Amino acid sequence: MPLPLHLLAVAVFAMGTSEFMLAGLVPAIAVSLNVSVGTAGLLTSAFATGMIVGAPLMAALARRWPAQASLLSFVLVFAGAHVLGALTTSFTVLLITRVLAALANAGFLAVALSTAATLVAPDQRGRALAVLLSGMTVAIIAGVPGGALLGTLLSWRSTFWAIALLCLPAALGVVKSIPACAGETPQGTPAGSSLRNELAQLAMPRLLLVMLLGALVNAATFATFTFLAPIVTDTAGLGDLWVSIVLVLFGVGSFVGVNLAGRLSDKHPGIVIAVGGPMLMLGWVALAVLAAQPAALLLLVFAQGALSFALGSTLIARVLHETAGAPTMGGSYATAALNIGAAGGPIVAAATLRADAGDLGPVWVSALLVAVALLIALPLRRFIAPRLGQAIR
């Protein structure tokens, strides 16, 4: 894979750390700002909502900018939002900074995804996506647990300062990896490319289907991931420092899953869907039943990280395959699909915290969301991945 892909992954690491870090900080933020755990969990949904709106909006605004200028601007705005978030004592202001950071993150990721698709051959887009998403999974492995540990030892505000500092080498990576090209869009598309034609791609049934499935699977992932901390400390009875260990296990699993799927998603996406989907659903059910057993919790968190990201990244790779006719906007469609799920999952999961299911309500939500995705996907898997049609007969 080209070096620029790996350097862009450094920036994705910094932004991914911010997107996911609240999973280990929700209880501390709730206490500090005098809100409920469910309300604090909505910071994740606010971020994801900003990503949904920001992905197409920022991609459309930046489609005529040189890649280096657009990506660098997004990183610097992202850093500024975290400085303000670290300083505020108001939950409302913190919520606004999360939306602002999300807009910058959405713009960056949309441009980066579209750029990645032009750096490799069409049959390598899944692997290119895996490289970019590896930055996100490393964020879960190292950045998110590190943020949780930093928040435990110091305060949740220290993690926001750490993210702002991480943006500095990320910005340097953008400058070094992407040349400043005055006559091209960030994705290298000729200046005459029509935004109307690219938006028209959203009328394609196959594109809408894979976006829906990607959103459902990601909603399932975030429904539980956002509220893992209380499951670890209250349901399993482990200490606060175990939250970081559990997040590391989920991150290691996600790294394994996204890289394995990257080698399969270009040629055999249907196999990943048909095999990984049912395993993912059964894994959520098992976690809901066995979460009180620490050993089972640790094993299942790893497995669910791997399966969630293997299936999710495969579906997002299908989005990129289906948006070949939208070279500057295709990355925003993939970003929107990811974050529609990331916004919806925690909202539904937060509602279950007040029900009889308690801390395990989000896990049952995850199982249900994957079940819905499977009911849609399995009968239509040849339509979703037509190249696989002959292989799975």
Side-chain angles (χ1 to χ4, degrees), residues 219-353:
T221 302
F222 273 81
T224 295
F225 185 80
T226 302
F227 299 104
L228 264 180
I231 293 174
V232 172
T233 57
D234 298 339
T235 303
L238 298 173
D240 290 342
L241 291 179
W242 277 94
V243 173
S244 297
I245 296 173
V246 169
L247 292 175
V248 166
L249 285 173
F250 187 93
V252 172
S254 66
F255 183 81
V256 171
V258 78
N259 281 281
L260 287 178
R263 299 180 180 278
L264 293 172
S265 61
D266 288 314
K267 295 182 179 180
H268 305 292
I271 293 177
V272 179
I273 295 169
V275 176
M279 291 178 64
L280 179 61
M281 183 191 69
L282 292 174
W284 287 129
V285 173
L287 182 59
V289 173
L290 301 172
Q293 307 299 321
L297 173 66
L298 298 178
L299 178 62
L300 286 167
V301 162
F302 171 84
Q304 293 307 96
L307 291 168
S308 294
F309 274 77
L311 187 58
S313 65
T314 296
L315 291 168
I316 295 306
R318 296 312 303 171
V319 174
L320 294 178
H321 276 283
E322 297 300 332
T323 54
T328 66
M329 295 297 293
S332 71
Y333 303 156
T335 303
L338 281 170
N339 288 282
I340 287 173
I347 290 175
V348 178
T352 67
L353 292 174

Side-chain angles (χ1 to χ4, degrees), residues 58-70:
M58 296 297 102
L61 290 175
R63 67 193 301 268
R64 299 298 181 203
W65 300 353
Q68 186 186 91
S70 59

Side-chain angles (χ1 to χ4, degrees), residues 13 17 135-149 244 247-248 251-252:
F13 165 74
T17 298
M136 192 176 297
T137 58
V138 171
I140 301 175
I141 296 170
V144 176
L149 181 61
S244 297
L247 292 175
V248 166
V252 172

